[in-house]
Amino acid sequence: PQAPQAITTGGEMSRVLLLLALCAALASAIPAVHKRGETGADALKDADTYFARQDTNEDVRALEDFQARHSDQMARNALPCETDPVLKLQCASVSRAARMHGRKFKVADEVESNQLFDEPYRPEDSRHFDVAQSSTFIPQASQTFDLNYADGSHLRGFSGVDQVYMGDYKATSPFGVITDCNSPDFNGVDGILGFGLPKPGSDLPTPVLFAMTDAENKDTNAADLKRKFSFFSTDDAAEVQLGGYDPQTAAGTMWYTPALATDDFIVGATSLKFGDSHSTAVELLQFKSTAQKNLGAPSIMDSGTSCLVIPADNMQGQLANIPWDDFAKHWKKGRSFWLEVGQKTWEIPFSSWYLAETDQTCVQPSPAGMQGLLVGDVFFREYIVEFDMTGARPIIGIAPLNKAYNLVNQNVLASFEINKAPKSKLTLLKGSEVMYPAEHSEVLTQVDRIPIVNKKGTQY
């Protein structure tokens, strides 16, 4: 094997640095570049440099292949992403884009570089999983995976089972052993920690949070841990919270909305404005029909995507405009985005979508074939987002981030009276885009706060 890697070791546990990606895929740092003044026209150059682009026809064919392979999932008659004829393909396209496009940025010393990789992958920079050091490791060599990304990078390997430690919890859990990698994004990194939902028919191991909270797993101390987590970031740190969220993290009410799909964190963006103020901002999502606006554009809440990715076309005629073109036309420093989800408006200020350290715009046009948005780390720097997977349908909670909150520098397990999602109300929505405030609970809930290394706000 060229580069054997894994999330963890059994026996004597070695601590590893992991890339945190909600959908179990790659997130990579935008490298430091020379300072320069940027204009709206330059924003497209940023995107062309960092965003892995493919030929339009190839993307469309690949999307059609994806739809064919997942026809059984798309045929379910339960949720908007599975019942609405137009929304089916749109939801599938943003799910695919999140895994294939959204999180991958080319590594370059200069903004103008268009090379695939400007530096090689250096396996000696990573700490590797030595199977000889674990008496409990069980290889599953017949269960292999081969992940290929739009920028030419790949990950290959097989599954294994061992004792996995995360925060204050441990369990016997499956994980992927990476044996072949070519991406410099992994220089100094030991693996990927995925908090996404299991995918039916996927070759990838069960996500670790699901394995740890599996009621049938006899070898876990996390059986009582709620199957949910929260994530947020600051300019130089980040934190993941298992089991819910610390109320001190939020500066206001946590508002909840059900996902539009059972297997992804998709919400409907009914409006996206950009400007100096909400009242004077230009609308970037100009829906042609009321029915489409009611559900909105499928949008994945994904910390594995660095930037905000917006449609670069009219979403197959659903929009009367091209959002990316309007954004580039009105680009100006100091302006904000206003994202509407569930009839609630969430501001993304200039300080979050513009990377001051590298003097670059962290907003990108969608790849060909993607019909929706990817809401990346620019959002998680302003809000704490909770992902509740305790039911058959994921629930997403959003609350303003308390900027005075002191992030932990080591694992901290504590119990809180946590406000919870009003599931009785949310189950009646049947996919409508409405958010409800949290309901108070006097039941003590354990929350494990885990510190995360933050590299330039794009790699965790």
Side-chain angles (χ1 to χ4, degrees):
Q2 292 182 332
Q5 301 177 338
I7 290 175
T8 179
T9 65
E12 295 184 1
M13 175 64 183
S14 66
R15 301 183 65 180
V16 297
L17 176 64
L18 299 169
L19 283 178
L20 178 63
L22 295 187
C23 292
L26 296 179
S28 59
I30 294 179
V33 298
H34 299 300
K35 287 277 187 177
R36 61 178 179 80
E38 184 170 6
T39 66
D42 289 332
L44 181 58
K45 293 181 181 179
D46 287 348
D48 285 340
T49 300
Y50 293 117
F51 204 65
R53 305 298 294 269
Q54 285 185 318
D55 179 78
T56 300
N57 292 333
E58 291 179 355
D59 262 335
V60 172
R61 285 197 299 270
L63 183 59
E64 291 172 347
D65 292 340
F66 177 88
Q67 182 182 12
R69 292 196 305 272
H70 295 76
S71 59
D72 60 326
Q73 298 174 39
M74 291 180 162
R76 291 198 300 268
N77 188 29
L79 299 167
C81 281
E82 298 152 8
T83 59
D84 185 276
V86 175
L87 212 61
K88 282 183 183 180
L89 189 57
Q90 291 179 347
C91 291
S93 73
V94 293
S95 293
R96 176 180 179 274
R99 294 171 181 80
M100 294 294 291
H101 296 274
R103 67 202 70 247
K104 294 302 295 171
F105 295 88
K106 291 183 179 179
V107 177
D109 293 328
E110 298 291 342
V111 171
E112 290 76 14
S113 173
N114 282 311
Q115 297 182 32
L116 179 59
F117 298 126
D118 287 346
E119 61 176 307
Y121 168 58
R122 299 185 299 273
E124 64 275 11
D125 289 356
S126 300
R127 290 166 292 181
H128 304 299
F129 176 29
D130 185 352
V131 298
Q133 297 300 312
S134 174
S135 61
T136 53
F137 175 69
I138 302 174
Q140 297 176 327
S142 62
Q143 299 181 18
T144 61
F145 56 86
D146 188 348
L147 304 177
N148 294 276
Y149 296 89
D151 66 347
S153 62
H154 66 254
L155 293 173
R156 302 187 182 106
F158 61 92
S159 296
V161 176
D162 209 334
Q163 288 289 312
V164 176
Y165 292 74
M166 182 170 62
D168 290 277
Y169 296 101
K170 71 177 182 69
T172 296
S173 174
F175 58 90
V177 181
I178 302 171
T179 59
D180 188 10
C181 171
N182 70 338
S183 173
D185 296 337
F186 272 76
N187 288 339
V189 175
D190 304 323
I192 304 170
L193 178 58
F195 281 92
L197 294 151
K199 303 297 178 184
S202 172
D203 294 331
L204 295 174
T206 301
V208 64
L209 189 56
F210 276 76
M212 283 187 162
T213 56
D214 185 350
E216 297 183 2
N217 189 343
K218 304 302 182 182
D219 192 8
T220 177
N221 67 349
D224 295 329
L225 178 69
K226 299 296 183 183
R227 188 174 287 174
K228 49 187 176 180
F229 70 95
S230 301
F231 179 78
F232 68 92
S233 171
T234 66
D235 290 338
D236 55 8
E239 191 171 300
V240 63
Q241 301 179 351
L242 305 182
Y245 72 100
D246 179 350
Q248 295 299 316
T249 312
T253 301
M254 179 75 75
W255 290 80
Y256 291 95
T257 189
L260 299 183
T262 56
D263 60 356
D264 226 327
F265 301 123
I266 299 177
V267 297
T270 50
S271 174
L272 180 66
K273 290 187 173 184
F274 180 71
D276 295 314
S277 68
H278 184 263
S279 60
T280 62
V282 62
E283 177 60 65
L284 301 183
L285 295 177
Q286 299 176 21
F287 293 102
K288 288 184 177 180
S289 72
T290 302
Q292 182 69 18
K293 179 174 175 56
N294 286 341
L295 287 176
S299 307
I300 291 186
M301 310 296 292
D302 183 17
S303 77
T305 296
S306 297
C307 301
L308 176 65
V309 183
I310 63 178
D313 56 27
N314 62 9
M315 291 178 55
Q316 296 185 341
Q318 298 295 312
L319 302 176
N321 69 318
I322 297 177
W324 171 261
D325 289 352
D326 287 349
F327 163 69
K329 177 181 177 181
H330 294 88
W331 190 100
K332 183 180 179 180
K333 284 189 175 182
R335 289 182 167 172
S336 293
F337 287 92
W338 284 270
L339 175 68
E340 184 179 277
V341 175
Q343 301 178 20
K344 294 286 292 182
T345 300
W346 310 96
E347 181 181 2
I348 305 174
F350 174 76
S351 58
S352 289
W353 65 262
Y354 192 82
L355 303 179
E357 183 176 348
T358 55
D359 202 22
Q360 291 174 335
T361 298
C362 200
V363 183
Q364 299 177 310
S366 63
M370 180 185 133
Q371 307 297 315
L373 289 79
L374 300 181
V375 183
D377 297 326
V378 296
F379 192 84
F380 293 83
R381 288 199 283 274
E382 286 297 312
Y383 302 96
I384 177 170
V385 181
E386 182 183 75
F387 299 86
D388 186 336
M389 299 171 286
T390 56
R393 180 180 185 177
I395 295 173
I396 292 93
I398 303 173
L401 181 62
N402 177 11
K403 297 300 180 69
Y405 173 81
N406 293 319
L407 283 77
V408 298
N409 54 23
Q410 62 182 6
N411 302 334
V412 177
L413 182 63
S415 296
F416 304 97
E417 289 186 4
I418 296 179
N419 294 335
K420 60 182 181 180
K423 292 188 177 180
S424 59
K425 295 178 181 178
L426 296 176
T427 55
L428 300 176
L429 295 180
K430 303 301 182 185
S432 300
E433 278 302 288
V434 180
M435 300 193 87
Y436 282 103
E439 296 176 340
H440 180 66
S441 172
E442 295 183 355
V443 177
L444 290 178
T445 302
Q446 282 196 331
V447 175
D448 198 11
R449 291 171 288 171
I450 304 175
I452 302 294
V453 175
N454 179 356
K455 294 185 178 181
K456 301 178 183 177
T458 58
Q459 185 184 53
Y460 300 97

